[in-house]
Amino acid sequence: MGLVESGKMPKSLTKLLNMSRRYSMWVYQWGLACCAIEMGAAFASPRYDVMRLGVIPLPASPRQADFLVVSGTVTDKMAPAVRRLWEQMPDPKYVISMGSCANCGGPYWDSYSVTKGVDQIVPVDVYVPGCPPRPEALLEGIVLLQERIMNEDMAERWKGDPIVVE
Amino acid sequence: MSITTENEQLAYIASQAADARVNVEVETDEGMTLNLGPQHPATHGTLRIIAKLDGEKVVAAEPIMGYMHRGYEKLTEVRTYPQVTTLINRIDWLGSFANEVPFILAAEQLMEVEAPPRAQWIRTILFELSRIANVCLFLGDMAVQVGATTPVFYAFRDREFVLNQIERVTGGRFHPNFDRIGGLKDDLPKGWIEETRGALDRMKSFCDEMEELVLGNEIFQARTRNIGVIPGDVALSYGLSGANLRASGVDWDIRRDANVGLVYDQVDWKVWTHPDGDSFARFWVRLQETREACNIIEQLLGSIPSGPIMAKVPRIIKVPEGEAYVATENPLGEMGYYVVSKGDLTPFRVKIRSASFSNMSITPWILKDVFVPDIISILASLYFILGDIDR
């Protein structure tokens, strides 16, 4: 599209594309520890029901997912797998870090085997604090992510350096 | 990564060699190798299982764990006694309150303090409520693993009512951190007993629902009957505990046979066993235990004694020198803490005997000569929680 390469994008088109992306997101759930159960409650329980936000849980593979929820303690043994899964996701992709452990190490801040913060491995868009956060808090995080997607400038995103596959 | 010192170099080489070893084992053997996990819905978290297959049959299976190792035993050495409960809540995250109790009982044993009767009653009630919250999810999840999606929605729906009750007392939906050395943090709020009765009625109807929906289902029976049979003597020799042991026909329950500090002797209840030892039996025993837990709580709710909820303990807790081991029957099985104290603010050493670790040790034996789809149903029926295995 010539419009994009020139760095100009009609505002209405940006809005339309962002709106469509915002309300049709597949979420890949990376359930690791306690937070996985709260995430399960948010995604699979009728009381919280994430689908009313336009988010569909349980894709068959990370290659179909739009954003990733890292919920729980990331250990040093697990970290390479997290990175690898994130790399398999197609762009544009987003990450929500759920719970204190994924944010900064949480109660295991002085442990020898825990990665203090998943943001050392993958870029994180939204942090949800709590130990574990309530399902409502995760839903709030998803809403924040949707707002962020809505305000995104598509041209800026596409103008960046070309992707090189090594 | 830049390698500077000799130690780092050696560590790097060792890690590369370990990787290569796993890969060689995977590749050189005849037949196909199936890798389950570390992220697989059926493994309840981050367990990895490498299975060597001959056609559809598993020749050998090896669990690889440690993906959730958080170093509990080391961390408890640098936390004071009241701080430890915050941490050990998160071992078995589905039944959090049950994790605190054995540690607190061990510390009380060392300090020679006994909680007042009211505190013991409330402890037992919360202990059983966390058992319901834990096993409830198993009842839904087991059905998911054999292909029925609906029960898990019911499980999540009805579990919320139990969690609400725990939250109303403790303030924590998931990790209460409510138990104190010498008693409890707070008393029960007003109107709680009546509301809990309502929640228990809800759970009982959930159990009936599960019995009709899952247990009587022909497909479920075909997938679980005579699958993953563990004879009683094998179960004992592998150190299985809890419902897995009772489903193999061994009549052993710590709540009845070696009870410490909780008031199970004040109630009229029954230990359920099943002679078969297959996946179906494990499901059946857990279902009956959920009902029995409702029964226990209902009896206890009617007979809570009045009085204080805290014994007299010093403000700064220093545990005198000594050793103590206390085990309780947690939702997953026997969970025990061996606490060694040197008279400090912090424990000198804590050895955690968690149920899932022993329960999972049987997987290489039990996964031999089963079919691939049965791996999932057997793992689900053994019911372990990864935080409880790796700690």
Side-chain angles (χ1 to χ4, degrees), chain B residues 331-343:
Chain B
L332 298 164
E334 178 185 346
M335 179 164 207
Y337 291 85
Y338 181 65
V339 183
V340 181
S341 175
K342 293 274 178 195

Side-chain angles (χ1 to χ4, degrees), chain B residues 230-295:
Chain B
I230 309 175
D233 51 336
V234 177
L236 278 175
S237 65
Y238 272 98
L240 259 60
S241 54
N244 291 331
L245 186 64
R246 287 192 285 279
S248 298
V250 182
D251 194 8
W252 169 254
D253 194 319
I254 293 174
R255 286 178 287 173
R256 185 195 58 193
D257 301 323
N259 182 32
V260 182
L262 298 171
V263 289
Y264 289 106
D265 47 350
Q266 305 287 328
V267 239
D268 176 31
W269 63 289
K270 181 178 172 350
V271 176
W272 291 87
T273 56
H274 197 289
D276 286 359
D278 53 6
S279 300
F280 183 85
R282 290 190 277 275
F283 187 91
W284 187 88
V285 166
R286 288 211 174 85
L287 184 67
Q288 302 306 334
E289 271 181 10
T290 315
R291 282 192 177 135
E292 204 59 51
C294 293
N295 176 20

Side-chain angles (χ1 to χ4, degrees), chain A residues 118-131:
Chain A
V118 73
D119 47 7
Q120 296 176 28
I121 309 161
V122 295
V124 176
D125 293 278
V126 177
Y127 297 89
V128 181
C131 189

Side-chain angles (χ1 to χ4, degrees), chain A residues 5 7 10 15 34-35 42-43 50 56 66 88 95 102-103 107 111 118-119 125 129 141 143 148 150 154 162 165:
Chain A
E5 269 117 47
K15 205 172 168 185
C34 333
C35 296
F43 287 176
V50 78
I56 305 171
D66 297 306
Q88 287 180 27
V95 178
N103 292 348
S111 167
V118 73
D119 47 7
D125 293 278
V143 170
R148 190 183 173 132
M150 195 59 201
M154 297 286 278
V165 181

Side-chain angles (χ1 to χ4, degrees), chain B residues 81-89 96-108 115-116 118-127 169-170 175-186 260-262 309-310 313 317 328 337:
Chain B
Y81 280 88
Q83 285 174 340
V84 168
T85 51
T86 323
L87 207 62
I88 57 180
N89 265 176
S96 302
F97 185 79
N99 295 331
E100 303 172 14
V101 174
F103 179 79
I104 291 292
L105 288 176
E108 281 180 358
R118 190 178 171 83
Q120 291 182 12
W121 246 262
I122 299 173
R123 253 183 211 169
T124 317
I125 291 171
L126 287 174
F127 195 92
V169 190
T170 64
H175 299 312
N177 190 21
F178 191 60
D179 221 354
R180 300 283 186 271
I181 292 173
L184 293 167
K185 181 174 165 284
D186 278 324
V260 182
L262 298 171
I309 49 155
M310 250 331 237
V313 282
I317 288 171
T328 51
Y337 291 85

Side-chain angles (χ1 to χ4, degrees), chain B residues 12 37 49 92 114 117 155 158 167 184 187 190 232 308 315 328 340:
Chain B
Y12 181 73
I49 287 186
D92 157 21
E114 196 180 356
D158 288 342
E167 189 181 359
L184 293 167
D187 212 333
K190 198 182 167 194
R315 189 167 273 269
T328 51
V340 181

Side-chain angles (χ1 to χ4, degrees), chain B residues 298-309:
Chain B
E298 261 178 4
Q299 291 183 38
L300 287 174
L301 283 177
S303 63
I304 303 179
S306 59
I309 49 155

